[in-house]
Each structure stands twice: as C-alpha cells, then as structure tokens.
Amino acid sequence: MTHALSNGIEFNAPAMALAVKRLGVRMTFPKGVEIFGQDEEADLVYGLMSGAVRTTRMLSDGRRQIGNFYSRGDLIGLTTGPVHRFSAETLSDCSFRVVKRSSIQLHGGDDELDDAIWEAMRRELEQAQEHLLFLGRTSACERVARFLISIAPRNSSARVALPMNRQDMADYLGLAIETVSRTVSHLQASEIIEFSGCRYFRVLRWDALELLAA
Amino acid sequence: MTHALSNGIEFNAPAMALAVKRLGVRMTFPKGVEIFGQDEEADLVYGLMSGAVRTTRMLSDGRRQIGNFYSRGDLIGLTTGPVHRFSAETLSDCSFRVVKRSSIQLHGGDDELDDAIWEAMRRELEQAQEHLLFLGRTSACERVARFLISIAPRNSSARVALPMNRQDMADYLGLAIETVSRTVSHLQASEIIEFSGCRYFRVLRWDALELLAA
DNA sequence: CGGTTAGTTGACCGACGTCAAATTAAGTGG
DNA sequence: CCACTTAATTTGACGTCGGTCAACTAACCG
C-alpha cells in the first residue's frame, strides 16, 4: 500500500522512482526552509526521498492556504507552468532527487519518465479536486476527521506521527487553529482517537471516525 | 483576449482548436442534460464549440460542489483517470467535437494534440488550485466579487450574461444561495454592479469590485 | 391570466472565528 | 538532568458571518 498522506507519485509507482533515481541529482534541505517560492521560475522537479513538505499560497494580507502535504516518494514542483504558483517548504529535514525541467523536455523519447510525470500530474489534479469539495461543502468536524483518516494507515490502530503542526493543519483545512484544536480535543473526548503529545495519535474507532468524515 | 469564464483551453490556443476540429465528431446536447456522470468510465473528450457546461461533484447526502464552468473553446472530460470523478451537465444547448480517449493514446506521434492536452490539463490544475485558495480562505463577499470579475470582460462596462443560475453560483462558491443573493444585492446597492434581470449584469466600478475581491 | 419556478428579503440561530488567558511542549545554557 | 525561556497548543468567553427557515416577489410559460 501507498502511504495515505502521499499525494503525488509513490515509490510503488516504479516508473517514477526509477526515472527520478536514475536521472536525479541528490539534494538535501534542513527543516523549515523554502525549496522554491511562489512566483519563482519553475526550473526543477523534486522527487522526495525522505522527510515531509508543504506547498503554500499566500493572499496579499497574509491569509495562507496550504495546497498539499508531501512525503517520501512524492514528486514536487510539477504543478505549474513556467512559474510556481505555490511555494514549497520543508516540514522536516528532507532529501531529494532533483531533475531539470528542461532535461525532461529534451527527453521526449523517454516514455517511462513521460508516463510518470503524466501520472503525477493526474494525481495532483485529483487531489486538488477532492480538496475543493471538502473546503466548499463540509463542516470543521468532517474536515478534521477526513484529514486524520487520510494520514493514518487504514484500519490500523498503530501510532501515527503528524509531520505538520496545528497551524499547518488549519491552513490546509481552511479553519482557524483554535477550531482544529477544539475538534481534535472533542474527537479525543469521544474516545474516537487518542493523542500522545500533539504530534502522535492513534485511531481507536475507525467506524466512528469514518462516519464523521461524511 | 480569451473569454474570462473559460477555464480550459481557449480557441485562441490554436493547437487545441485545430486538433479537436480536425479529429472530432460533431455532437449536440440540449439544455439541462448530463454529458457524462460521476464514476462513469472516462471514454470521450469533449471540445465545447458553443453553449455552457458545469462539472459537479455530489456528497452522499446531496451536498453539491461545482468544480468548474466551461464555455466555447474549453476541453471537457480530461480531468480524470479511467473514471470521471465529476459529472458534466449542460447549462444551455451545446455543441461539441468529440474524440475518443483511446484514439488519443494511439496518436502518440501527434505532437500538436499531445501539447494541447497537456496544456489543458495544466490549466485545469491551475484553476483548481486557485479555486482552493478561495474556498479555504475568503469571505462570501470576496468570493462573489471574484466570481463576477472572472466572468465580465476586464474593465468593460458591457452587459454580461450569466450562463448559470444562483444555485450553481452558490455551489461553485461554497455558499448558500441566499448568501449569494444577498451579496449580489449588496453590491448592487453599493452601485458597484448593476443587474438587469437576474441573468444579466454590468460592472459599474471596477476599482471597487477588485478591492472587494481581495 | 393563473400557475410554477427562481430569486430575494427578513428573522433568527449556530458554527466557527477572534481575542485573551492558561497550559503544555520544546529548547537551551548551566 | 534541571531551571528557565520561549514557542506551541489548548481552553474559555464572546462576537459575527453566513446558514436555515419562511414569507414574499419577480420572472417565466402555457
């Protein structure tokens, strides 16, 4: 199975992993730095080998929307035309395989890579559209429940680490940080989930959680 | 200039128009019918020659989110993998040029068509991500203002037709129909826009409208 | 000209945001 | 490892934007 948080290409999509591994140059970033910025020229494509990344978009007055979270195996930086419309930042120390966009153009004959990029694009779009539905038409509780479900390995009661903080969750879900916190507390009070610290949780009752996710 | 409502490929993107015109079979649909349904197999790609279309996604309890509106020159039905995750319905009588997905696959050597489809995909994604930001982080007023701006030809005070009804606007913007109505009324009371009937409007003060759109 | 549907307006209410304070977690230098 | 500092999260009190319900009005159509 793919890790549920992963939204781009997974390592189990062999074409991608192989193509990026084969072509890519290794690169590392520490926690909390910008990989590329909003409105910067989109030159490189990043295959995430380890760590976690968020993509964010700012409004002029500072309101922030997180587009997506990425983890091991995801492909980052494809999402745009000539210019990035989201910035990407590391949530933890990360290592990548990086390939130049231009080299992709040149690689016209490379079907394996072409397919992988097409597939990654498709997934990115699918994700965005799914996200749309949730931002437009669901309650805070449904969003948080859905989010936790998307992160925890399905039907497992194992402890899961959240790579992002509460503010990141809030900006992803289109909620205030206090609302996220309250909702999580409420789920915990209902004995549907259980947190140990604010970065680790386990699902106690999947049926209840899925009911709440609509 | 491209028509601002158009969100996919425009007719002024010559590759698309030509490719679909060249390859497509003509097809027409009356107003208010489904072109393809959610979860149906995605077999055909539709180049819209005239009329208007919406794509919608339903939650099990009937809540609806509109993904996008399309008009003359847009390419519809690309957005998914093997299965459509949105349904598409006509807002008015429509005519299309239709091509089979499979014939696109076969057309590997057809760079013109490949480029056009890639570009359409890119735009679809761009649109979805822009929409995300608005659903997640803006007020009702900002959404409505932005929506009207996206429909009216920029800086023109010409009368514009809305191809969709208020419920469609509401489901696109993630608002209740009453909220859309109230907001429109308010903009009109402020003499920023002017409606003649509920399907035609003109922008009286672009500066003010853009200010409200954030 | 009734009848039907779509849109508007008003009254009310609740979910979620805001502001502030309390609590917990995470660093950091000794 | 501990005391201290600082940042992150939680909790509470309260206000508001936008949703809901209902009544009214305008557009549409045979």
Side-chain angles (χ1 to χ4, degrees), chain B residues 50-155:
Chain B
S50 69
V53 171
R54 64 163 184 248
T55 52
T56 65
R57 190 89 198 277
M58 300 286 280
L59 284 177
S60 48
D61 60 0
R63 281 174 288 183
R64 190 178 74 151
Q65 176 71 44
I66 290 188
N68 224 331
F69 297 109
Y70 299 87
S71 61
R72 177 180 155 82
D74 290 331
L75 202 58
I76 304 166
L78 270 179
T79 68
T80 58
V83 158
H84 290 294
R85 275 162 316 96
F86 283 76
S87 68
E89 295 127 31
T90 55
L91 292 168
S92 59
D93 295 348
C94 286
S95 73
F96 300 91
R97 290 285 182 169
V98 183
V99 296
K100 278 204 165 169
R101 294 197 137 226
S102 43
S103 84
I104 290 170
Q105 307 286 6
L106 294 175
H107 252 272
D110 191 333
D111 282 351
E112 188 199 297
L113 187 53
D114 280 358
D115 287 355
I117 288 172
W118 177 260
E119 174 67 11
M121 193 84 167
R122 221 183 51 62
R123 287 217 194 197
E124 197 77 32
L125 180 55
E126 194 166 307
Q127 269 294 126
Q129 288 175 336
E130 213 65 32
H131 199 170
L132 267 192
L133 182 63
F134 265 77
L135 292 184
R137 285 294 177 212
T138 64
S139 69
C141 180
E142 288 167 331
R143 291 183 208 185
V144 171
R146 170 62 60 117
F147 180 74
L148 295 176
I149 286 174
S150 80
I151 285 184
R154 179 148 300 249
N155 289 327

Side-chain angles (χ1 to χ4, degrees), chain A:
Chain A
M1 262 312 280
T2 77
H3 188 287
L5 178 59
S6 291
N7 294 317
I9 276 290
E10 320 289 340
F11 265 142
N12 64 4
M16 185 67 253
L18 290 177
V20 171
K21 271 184 178 166
R22 184 160 44 76
L23 297 174
V25 173
R26 195 180 175 76
M27 232 168 140
T28 64
F29 291 86
K31 173 177 176 173
V33 302
E34 187 177 273
I35 302 165
F36 53 79
Q38 193 171 328
D39 300 323
E40 271 180 21
E41 204 180 329
D43 192 31
L44 301 172
V45 175
Y46 301 79
L48 184 49
M49 309 295 277
S50 70
V53 171
R54 65 165 184 245
T55 51
T56 65
R57 190 87 198 278
M58 299 287 280
L59 250 37
S60 48
D61 61 359
R63 282 175 287 183
R64 190 178 74 151
Q65 176 70 46
I66 288 188
N68 225 331
F69 296 110
Y70 300 88
S71 62
R72 177 181 155 83
D74 290 331
L75 203 57
I76 304 165
L78 272 180
T79 68
T80 58
V83 158
H84 289 294
R85 275 163 316 97
F86 283 75
S87 67
E89 295 128 31
T90 56
L91 292 167
S92 59
D93 295 348
C94 288
S95 73
F96 299 91
R97 290 284 181 170
V98 183
V99 297
K100 279 203 164 169
R101 295 196 137 226
S102 43
S103 84
I104 290 171
Q105 308 284 7
L106 294 175
H107 252 272
D110 190 334
D111 283 352
E112 187 200 297
L113 186 53
D114 279 359
D115 287 355
I117 287 173
W118 177 262
E119 174 67 12
M121 195 84 166
R122 223 185 49 63
R123 287 216 193 198
E124 197 78 31
L125 180 56
E126 194 167 307
Q127 268 293 127
Q129 289 176 335
E130 214 65 32
H131 199 171
L132 266 192
L133 183 63
F134 266 77
L135 292 185
R137 286 294 177 214
T138 64
S139 69
C141 181
E142 289 168 330
R143 291 183 208 185
V144 171
R146 169 64 58 119
F147 180 74
L148 295 176
I149 285 174
S150 79
I151 286 183
R154 180 149 300 249
N155 290 326
S156 150
S157 60
R159 197 175 76 148
V160 188
L162 289 174
M164 73 292 291
N165 63 26
R166 290 287 186 272
Q167 188 63 61
D168 289 333
M169 289 177 54
D171 289 341
Y172 179 73
L173 299 172
L175 299 171
I177 183 173
E178 294 93 334
T179 303
V180 171
S181 183
R182 262 187 272 269
T183 307
V184 162
S185 296
H186 177 251
L187 289 175
Q188 193 160 217
S190 314
E191 292 180 316
I192 293 171
I193 59 172
E194 178 186 55
F195 267 79
S196 28
C198 58
R199 293 290 191 112
Y200 295 92
F201 76 102
R202 68 180 73 239
V203 178
L204 301 177
R205 295 198 284 124
W206 274 91
D207 52 344
L209 192 58
E210 270 161 358
L211 209 66
L212 288 175

